[in-house]
Amino acid sequence: MKRVFQTLVYIISISLSLSTTVRAADVTVSAAISLKEAFTKIATRFEQDHPGDKIIFNFGSSGELAQQIQQGAPVDVFASAAFKQINILDKQDLLIKESIQPFTRNELVVIVSQGQQKLTAFPDFIKLNKVALGNPKTVPVGQYAAEALTKAGVYQTLVDQNKLVYGENVRQVLTYVESGNVDAGIVYKTDALTSTQVTISFAIPASYSEPIIYPIAIVKDSKHIQLAQDFVNDVIGNSGQKVLQEQGFLSVK
């Protein structure tokens, strides 16, 4: 009888172990690199609430991340810095349409390296040797910056005079300015706030570009749709929104 009891205990313990193993999962989140600090903090809380489960991040430019999803990369959640990339994937039926929603906003700022003379207005760009922007073809911050400079009437002049240096994501633009390789750059305010080596010259009015709204969605081929939804819920919930706003992001409401 004792041996039977011991056997039952062993079977139950193995079953519980296997059950835990089955439940545990890695959820891959591809997110705009400007979300790095905020999402890392949100993930820490998520993993505490979901023992055994892990959030695996893939940070980069939204355009590059969207291309990876198009090519079949195993991604569960996509958080973009613009609706453009989300809309492209949605049209290709690669996202769960009902999961698409905006979750935060940002704003553009002009930055210079610490100690450099600040710019005060758009015409100041013409006096500079080099200006860093995100690549407008793939990087949302570059798209927004190009729009703003075009509206200000200086973009084409900068292009014609070969004064623009393009970064492959917003953090690369930030690095160009920090290192002094360029005279100024245009980044999101949240990215400027992560650095002690740059100074914000001025904020670009919101009316100079389309609204800088970040959407999030679950990828249709996700193997962990419920966990992916749980992470999305954390991002759009009160605790996630608090973290985002502490990092300088703005509410979508």
Side-chain angles (χ1 to χ4, degrees):
M1 185 71 179
K2 182 178 179 181
R3 178 172 295 179
V4 172
F5 177 75
Q6 290 174 333
T7 301
L8 285 172
V9 170
Y10 175 76
I11 292 172
I12 290 171
S13 65
I14 290 295
S15 298
L16 289 173
S17 175
L18 289 173
S19 175
T20 302
T21 302
V22 169
R23 285 200 306 271
D26 291 343
V27 177
T28 300
V29 178
S30 286
I33 198 167
S34 51
L35 294 164
K36 184 175 182 179
E37 288 76 16
F39 267 28
T40 299
K41 289 185 178 182
I42 293 172
T44 298
R45 176 68 177 272
F46 178 90
E47 290 174 354
Q48 290 172 350
D49 294 339
H50 296 78
D53 297 320
K54 297 291 183 183
I55 299 296
I56 307 298
F57 282 116
N58 178 27
F59 292 111
S61 72
S62 298
E64 179 184 12
L65 298 175
Q67 289 174 5
Q68 292 172 2
I69 293 172
Q70 288 173 311
Q71 294 165 4
V75 176
D76 299 292
V77 177
F78 178 39
S80 175
F83 261 101
K84 176 182 178 180
Q85 288 74 26
I86 288 281
N87 291 338
I88 289 172
L89 297 181
D90 182 36
K91 289 178 181 177
Q92 296 175 351
D93 200 29
L94 296 174
L95 304 176
I96 297 178
K97 186 179 292 290
E98 296 76 17
S99 71
I100 300 172
Q101 56 190 311
F103 67 95
T104 197
R105 293 184 297 117
N106 216 329
E107 56 187 315
L108 292 179
V109 294
V110 177
I111 58 171
V112 296
S113 60
Q114 194 71 257
Q116 294 296 108
Q117 184 175 352
K118 290 184 178 182
L119 283 67
T120 59
F122 286 108
D124 292 342
F125 279 98
I126 305 300
K127 306 171 188 176
L128 304 177
N129 291 318
K130 293 295 180 182
V131 177
L133 307 180
N135 185 339
K137 295 180 180 179
T138 57
V139 185
V141 72
Q143 299 162 15
Y144 297 131
E147 287 180 28
L149 293 174
T150 298
K151 184 164 185 175
V154 298
Y155 184 69
Q156 195 55 50
T157 300
L158 294 174
V159 171
D160 293 342
Q161 294 180 359
N162 197 31
K163 290 187 174 184
L164 296 179
V165 176
Y166 297 111
E168 293 310 310
N169 59 62
V170 68
R171 291 300 169 87
Q172 191 170 72
V173 175
L174 182 65
T175 299
Y176 287 158
V177 179
E178 289 176 330
S179 64
N181 288 330
V182 298
D183 302 303
I186 297 179
V187 299
Y188 298 124
K189 181 180 179 180
T190 53
D191 291 281
L193 294 176
T194 67
S195 176
T196 58
Q197 300 177 56
V198 302
T199 300
I200 295 177
S201 287
F202 64 91
I204 295 177
S207 60
Y208 273 63
S209 73
E210 64 178 286
I212 303 175
I213 299 175
Y214 288 55
I216 194 167
I218 298 172
V219 178
K220 185 169 284 188
D221 285 344
S222 169
K223 301 297 189 293
H224 310 290
I225 289 178
Q226 185 55 60
L227 273 176
Q229 184 62 62
D230 290 345
F231 179 77
V232 171
N233 290 344
D234 275 12
V235 170
I236 65 176
N238 290 335
S239 61
Q241 291 296 300
K242 181 180 179 181
V243 171
L244 285 161
Q245 289 169 31
E246 286 173 349
Q247 296 296 316
F249 288 91
L250 304 171
S251 170
V252 293
K253 299 177 181 179

